[in-house]
């Protein structure tokens, strides 16, 4: 007797969720999302403000989007993510529905329910999809993992007290400690 075949979910299943229910879809597997904590939202707001302000001050063409913002990472109907923050420099990837393809820079803010996803599954998916830079911000441990997928030599682990330079924008420095006050 054969085992029953597991049915893969698609983006249609994401759009069929009840209003207010958020989920991500990775390789046909749906992952439900819990509402974020206040520290998560504070960090997200401050990071968005800092990065948007930097790009605006430089008259840059990149765009910054906080969650919920749809990213069709592999441009198929089996993978759909909502990174906490994504920076897209190729405006051809932007549609009314979201981003079609890999953003240049993604930041995820860890919560206890997303730790395995952010450090494992998403790390692999973002790298293989062509994301250039990926930050994992952990407000509990007060650490930031920076992954420079173009130049692995700049990848590192930082504390909230460290000034961190973006790989995408080398003259942009972020001190996470000031974003939690």
């Amino acid at each position: 007797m054969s085992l029953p075949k597991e049915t893969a979910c698609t983006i249609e299943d994401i759009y069929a969720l009840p209003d207010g229910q958020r989920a991500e879809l990775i390789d046909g597997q749906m992952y439900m999302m819990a509402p974020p904590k206040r520290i998560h939202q504070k960090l997200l707001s401050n990071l968005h403000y800092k990065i948007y302000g930097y790009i605006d001050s430089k008259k840059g063409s990149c765009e910054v989007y906080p969650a919920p913002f749809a990213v069709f990472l592999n441009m198929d109907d089996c993978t759909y993510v909502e990174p906490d923050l994504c920076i897209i420099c190729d405006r051809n990837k932007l549609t009314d529905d979201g981003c079609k393809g890999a953003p240049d820079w993604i930041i995820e803010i860890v919560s206890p329910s997303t730790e395995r996803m952010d450090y494992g599954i998403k790390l692999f998916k973002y790298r293989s999809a062509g994301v250039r830079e990926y930050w994992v911000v952990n407000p509990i441990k007060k650490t930031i993992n920076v992954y420079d997928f173009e130049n692995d030599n700049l990848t590192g682990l930082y504390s909230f007290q460290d000034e961190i330079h973006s790989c995408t924008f080398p003259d942009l420095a972020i001190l996470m400690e000031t974003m939690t006050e």
Side-chain angles (χ1 to χ4, degrees):
M1 183 166 117
S2 64
L3 295 172
K5 186 175 183 179
E6 188 175 317
T7 305
C9 296
T10 68
I11 289 172
E12 287 182 24
D13 296 306
I14 292 286
Y15 288 130
L17 291 171
D19 285 346
Q21 178 64 58
R22 291 179 52 215
E24 293 181 308
L25 182 66
I26 298 177
D27 296 329
Q29 175 70 43
M30 191 178 305
Y31 299 89
M32 305 311 284
M33 299 169 69
K37 300 287 186 196
R38 187 176 68 85
I39 187 66
H40 180 283
Q41 292 305 92
K42 187 171 191 169
L43 285 167
L44 177 58
S45 295
N46 286 331
L47 282 164
H48 180 258
Y49 177 79
K50 176 84 173 178
I51 296 167
Y52 176 85
Y54 167 83
I55 292 170
D56 187 54
S57 74
K58 300 288 184 179
K59 308 288 187 244
S61 62
C62 299
E63 296 199 22
V64 184
Y65 293 96
F69 182 74
V71 175
F72 304 91
L73 199 58
N74 297 337
M75 298 192 328
D76 61 19
D77 68 344
C78 296
T79 301
Y80 164 99
V81 292
E82 292 183 2
D84 289 316
L85 196 63
C86 55
I87 297 85
I88 300 129
C89 299
D90 180 355
R91 290 183 178 219
N92 292 322
K93 292 181 178 180
L94 296 171
T95 70
D96 288 341
D97 293 330
C99 178
K100 304 283 185 177
D104 293 272
W105 180 13
I106 289 179
I107 299 174
E108 294 284 7
I109 301 168
V110 175
S111 65
S113 65
T114 67
E115 193 166 2
R116 184 178 70 86
M117 290 287 294
D118 296 334
Y119 287 111
I121 295 169
K122 286 185 176 180
L123 173 66
F124 173 77
K125 288 304 289 184
Y126 291 160
R127 182 178 193 137
S128 62
V131 172
R132 294 172 43 211
E133 179 173 4
Y134 176 45
W135 287 22
V136 182
V137 177
N138 190 323
I140 297 164
K141 295 178 181 175
K142 297 190 181 306
T143 59
I144 305 96
N145 288 72
V146 175
Y147 300 93
D148 178 357
F149 295 140
E150 286 188 321
N151 307 297
D152 284 332
N153 59 341
L154 296 176
T155 300
L157 175 64
Y158 301 91
S159 77
F160 273 33
Q161 292 78 37
D162 294 324
E163 185 177 81
I164 307 166
H165 289 267
S166 164
C167 308
T168 305
F169 308 107
D171 58 335
L172 170 61
I174 295 176
L175 182 59
M176 204 67 63
E177 183 175 54
T178 62
M179 298 193 178
T180 60
E181 297 171 348

